[in-house]
C-alpha cells in the first residue's frame, strides 16, 4: 500500500514494491484462485497404459490436435472444462452446430496471447455509467470466494459511480439462509455477493445464482 502507489503491478520499478508483490503472489499461489476453499488443481500427464488408447480414439474422433489440453484430476472443478475441449472438437458436435468442415480450425477454450487483437479499453466503468444513467437496470454480482476478480474490487468500482444508496447493505436469503449480501443504488443499479461463489459464481453456486437472477429479472428486491 505504501510502496506500490502508481506502480505497474506487472512490472514495478520500485524495488520494495517488487519484493512485496513477489511475496504476495507467492502466498496467493498457495490457494485455488477461482475459489479459495477448493483444491488447487494439479494437472497430470496421461496414464501410460491408457495413452495409446486415448491417442487412437482422439485421432479417429477429432483428428490431430494441435493444442491438446493438460488433464486435471477428475476431482477438480476444471475437469468439465477439459471435457468441453473434446466435446467442442468432436466431428458430430460440429456437424450438429452447422460448422462447415474445414472452415474452422480446432476449438481452444483459453488462448494465450495468440489472438489477433489488442486491448485498448483499460476500464469499462464509463460504459456502466452511461448505461445506468440512460435508465437501464443493472445487476452486478461477485462470488465472495474468488481471488481472480475479488468482490472488493467490484464493490470499489461500483461505489466509484457515486450513486445514492436506495437499499443499504444487507443479507439476501435463499430457503431462510443468507445467500450473500446486497446493496441497491440509484439509477437501478444492484450489487450483490454470492456466498460460497467462485470466479464463475453460477458454476459454484447454481441454486443461489438462479434465485438471485429470477428475483432481479422479475424486478423484485433480492
Amino acid at each position: 500500500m505504501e510502496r506500490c502507489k502508481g506502480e505497474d503491478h506487472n512490472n514495478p520499478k520500485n524495488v520494495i514494491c517488487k519484493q512485496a508483490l513477489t511475496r504476495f503472489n507467492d502466498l496467493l499461489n498457495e490457494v485455488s484462485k477461482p475459489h479459495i476453499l477448493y483444491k488447487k488443481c494439479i494437472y497430470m500427464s496421461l496414464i501410460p497404459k491408457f495413452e495409446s488408447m486415448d491417442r487412437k480414439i482422439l485421432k479417429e474422433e477429432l483428428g490431430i490436435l494441435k493444442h491438446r489440453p493438460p488433464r486435471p484430476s477428475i476431482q477438480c472443478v476444471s475437469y468439465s472444462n477439459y471435457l468441453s475441449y473434446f466435446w467442442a472438437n468432436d466431428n458430430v458436435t460440429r456437424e450438429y452446430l452447422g460448422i462447415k468442415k474445414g472452415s474452422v480450425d480446432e476449438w481452444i477454450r483459453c488462448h494465450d496471447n495468440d489472438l489477433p487483437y489488442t486491448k485498448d479499453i483499460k476500464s469499462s466503468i464509463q460504459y456502466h455509467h452511461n448505461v445506468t444513467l440512460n435508465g437501464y437496470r443493472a445487476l452486478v454480482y461477485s462470488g465472495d470466494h474468488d481471488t481472480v476478480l475479488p468482490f472488493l474490487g467490484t464493490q470499489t468500482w461500483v461505489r466509484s459511480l457515486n450513486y445514492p444508496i436506495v437499499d443499504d447493505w444487507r443479507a439476501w436469503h435463499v430457503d431462510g439462509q443468507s445467500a450473500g449480501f446486497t446493496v441497491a443504488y440509484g439509477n437501478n443499479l444492484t450489487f450483490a455477493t454470492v456466498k460460497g461463489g467462485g470466479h464463475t459464481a453460477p458454476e459454484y453456486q447454481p441454486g443461489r445464482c438462479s434465485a438471485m437472477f429470477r428475483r432481479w429479472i422479475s424486478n423484485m428486491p433480492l
Side-chain angles (χ1 to χ4, degrees):
M1 293 292 289
E2 294 177 359
R3 302 290 182 173
C4 293
K5 292 179 180 178
E7 289 278 350
D8 178 356
H9 285 194
N10 292 319
N11 188 26
K13 295 180 180 179
N14 184 296
V15 175
I16 298 178
C17 171
K18 186 174 183 179
Q19 291 174 344
L21 285 173
T22 298
R23 177 64 174 157
F24 172 81
N25 288 322
D26 286 343
L27 294 172
L28 189 60
N29 283 332
E30 292 293 328
V31 301
S32 169
K33 293 180 182 179
H35 195 298
I36 60 173
L37 297 185
Y38 275 57
K39 291 182 178 180
K40 187 175 180 182
C41 197
I42 299 175
Y43 290 89
M44 304 175 294
S45 59
L46 286 171
I47 300 173
K49 67 177 181 180
F50 294 124
E51 186 169 6
S52 59
M53 182 186 299
D54 284 350
R55 284 182 175 173
K56 183 176 185 295
I57 294 173
L58 290 173
K59 187 174 182 180
E60 291 176 353
E61 296 295 326
L62 308 174
I64 299 175
L65 295 177
K66 299 176 183 177
H67 305 89
R68 187 172 183 182
R71 181 171 65 91
S73 165
I74 197 171
Q75 296 178 337
C76 291
V77 173
S78 59
Y79 193 80
S80 59
N81 299 336
Y82 170 76
L83 295 178
S84 70
Y85 186 92
F86 301 105
W87 174 83
N89 284 297
D90 185 85
N91 292 327
V92 176
T93 301
R94 291 190 164 208
E95 181 181 351
Y96 276 100
L97 290 176
I99 300 173
K100 293 182 180 179
K101 192 172 184 178
S103 64
V104 179
D105 202 357
E106 71 180 80
W107 178 83
I108 300 173
R109 182 174 179 272
C110 292
H111 286 263
D112 186 17
N113 299 319
D114 61 344
L115 291 178
Y117 77 96
T118 55
K119 296 180 181 179
D120 58 356
I121 299 176
K122 294 183 178 180
S123 172
S124 61
I125 294 177
Q126 63 176 320
Y127 298 99
H128 291 289
H129 187 258
N130 292 339
V131 166
T132 48
L133 280 183
N134 279 295
Y136 292 97
R137 297 174 61 237
L139 170 65
V140 180
Y141 66 90
S142 289
D144 64 4
H145 282 63
D146 173 28
T147 63
V148 178
L149 293 173
F151 81 90
L152 290 173
T154 306
Q155 186 181 55
T156 299
W157 76 252
V158 169
R159 286 176 173 173
S160 75
L161 297 174
N162 291 318
Y163 290 163
I165 295 175
V166 176
D167 185 8
D168 211 345
W169 189 259
R170 63 171 177 80
W172 63 278
H173 302 83
V174 173
D175 297 328
Q177 299 293 320
S178 169
F181 294 87
T182 182
V183 55
Y185 293 93
N187 298 309
N188 297 313
L189 173 65
T190 299
F191 170 67
T193 65
V194 180
K195 187 169 75 172
H199 183 54
T200 46
E203 182 179 10
Y204 295 91
Q205 293 293 336
R208 289 170 180 165
C209 287
S210 176
M212 175 183 66
F213 180 74
R214 281 188 283 106
R215 293 173 194 176
W216 180 81
I217 202 67
S218 301
N219 206 18
M220 297 169 58
L222 300 190

